[in-house]
Amino acid sequence: MADGAGVGSALWLAAAVATAAAATYAWRGLGVLLAGRIRVDGAAFAWIGYVAYGLLAGLIARMILLPAGPLATTALGVRLAATGVALAVFFAAGRHLVAGVVAGVVAFTGLVALGVG
Amino acid sequence: MIFASFVGFGSLCRSVELPMWLGLASTATGWALPGQVAMVELVGTGASLAAIAVAVALSGSRLLPMTVTLVPQLIAPDSPRWRAYVVAHWIAVTSWLITMSERHRLDRGARTPFFLGFALTLWLWSLAGTVVGFTVAGAVPPAMMLGLVFLNPIYFLMVLAADATDRGRVVALGSGAVLGPMFHLVTADWGLMLTGFAAGSAGFLASRAHRNAHRLSGTAADG
């Protein structure tokens, strides 16, 4: 982990990347194995889709409210304000993804550069 | 947008001191941004490999139904199976969407070249974005570097908001946003997994309840 410096740390990070790659390819490989043999519009697939969706929502909220790494040096108010700007522009522009992302990132960068954060 | 989202990922890698070659390896071998961001975030909070495996797997579950539906469109039943296993690595949301919508205009033999040409282009842009994000994050003023890292949660928030078209997803989004930070404080290792199960199940049940209510009211109106 982060406290193990040098080769051990690099090895651990490489193991994390390899683990994530294997966990991702597992779905693609299993998909090939099951292709044409199962129905994908059943309740089990709907449920696992919602689990992925809820997990991502939780990850996003945690990254904004309780960030790890350098975002932790910024003020919570700035992160929340920029998130609010992103959502407001997203809906005002008719659920426009790019407009929301650009507005949120620009608002965040601007507030941090002005020293609000 | 794919390029920009991977620029954000490259910056995120630098912010947790993941070396560039490992960030590139992650984009090359994973090529599923939610799982990659979850992996880097869990590395940043010092989670165990087992927790990383479970969270990444849960975040990528959409790839299974996508692969199951796309592979029969691409690969003829009599062609070698290993080809499907190789091609499947490049199945991702955009490459899947475009190929599924274009497949009727393509001869069967032209579908795999079309898919691979399109997906490999996106993949190379993703790799380029990772390098650019990593490099730029080390060269710009701190506020801009933080903005690039902040791109990750904001991008996914917008993707989820754009997808929140049914009641179940709204419930999963809302409860995930509340439970994610809470469960993280209880257990940094398994908080993400627990959030997925709890918020996802809530969303699933809400969508079923909503649909059943509709069916009942529809029956009543008919009767």
Side-chain angles (χ1 to χ4, degrees):
Chain A
M1 285 172 228
D3 53 347
V7 178
S9 170
L11 264 182
W12 193 83
L13 291 172
V17 170
T19 301
T24 305
Y25 185 79
W27 291 117
R28 294 176 171 128
L30 192 64
V32 175
L33 193 70
L34 299 175
R37 290 187 223 171
I38 52 161
R39 291 171 55 85
V40 292
D41 50 359
F45 280 107
W47 176 73
I48 192 85
Y50 282 112
V51 169
Y53 202 84
L55 183 145
L56 266 182
L59 176 64
I60 292 162
R62 209 227 74 216
M63 288 175 82
I64 294 172
L65 296 173
L66 305 167
L71 282 185
T73 63
T74 61
L76 175 63
V78 167
R79 297 192 301 267
L80 287 177
T83 305
V85 168
L87 282 171
V89 170
F90 170 79
F91 284 110
R95 304 173 83 92
H96 198 289
L97 187 136
V98 177
V101 172
V102 170
V105 170
V106 168
F108 178 81
T109 308
L111 287 171
V112 173
L114 288 173
V116 181
Chain B
M1 203 63 222
I2 287 200
F3 177 77
S5 60
F6 277 92
V7 169
F9 174 72
S11 307
L12 181 67
C13 289
R14 171 157 241 157
S15 78
V16 299
E17 290 167 11
L18 189 82
M20 180 157 82
W21 70 272
L22 278 173
L24 263 177
S26 172
T27 299
T29 61
W31 203 42
L33 196 54
Q36 291 177 248
V37 171
M39 182 272 291
V40 172
E41 279 292 307
L42 287 169
V43 163
T45 56
S48 67
L49 275 184
I52 290 173
V54 172
V56 172
L58 287 176
S59 77
S61 63
R62 73 192 177 287
L63 293 168
L64 176 57
M66 283 164 51
T67 306
V68 166
T69 48
L70 185 60
V71 162
Q73 304 291 336
L74 291 179
I75 309 282
D78 55 340
S79 69
R81 208 67 185 155
W82 63 265
R83 277 195 204 166
Y85 283 102
V86 173
V87 168
H89 175 63
W90 284 278
I91 295 177
V93 172
T94 311
S95 62
W96 180 83
L97 264 178
I98 299 296
T99 308
M100 287 301 271
S101 68
E102 295 294 315
R103 68 186 194 278
H104 295 302
R105 302 207 277 147
L106 298 163
D107 291 336
R108 184 163 275 282
R111 287 178 190 167
T112 301
F114 173 87
F115 169 78
L116 279 180
F118 186 74
L120 284 171
T121 308
L122 291 178
W123 186 68
L124 289 174
W125 275 110
S126 308
L127 291 168
T130 306
V131 173
V132 168
F134 192 93
T135 310
V136 167
V140 294
M144 280 187 74
M145 189 276 280
L146 291 167
L148 288 170
V149 177
F150 194 65
L151 179 63
N152 291 282
I154 287 298
Y155 171 72
F156 278 121
L157 179 62
M158 297 295 113
V159 170
L160 290 195
D163 272 354
T165 46
D166 70 291
R167 179 161 308 198
R169 285 190 176 170
V170 173
V171 169
L173 183 57
S175 46
V178 173
L179 295 176
M182 284 168 54
F183 284 172
H184 173 74
L185 292 175
V186 178
T187 158
D189 254 28
W190 303 105
L192 207 47
M193 180 196 82
L194 293 172
T195 303
F197 279 129
S201 300
F204 174 75
L205 292 174
S207 77
R208 295 279 136 162
H210 186 60
R211 203 203 293 181
N212 288 341
H214 260 288
R215 204 174 284 156
L216 285 176
S217 66
T219 313
D222 292 342

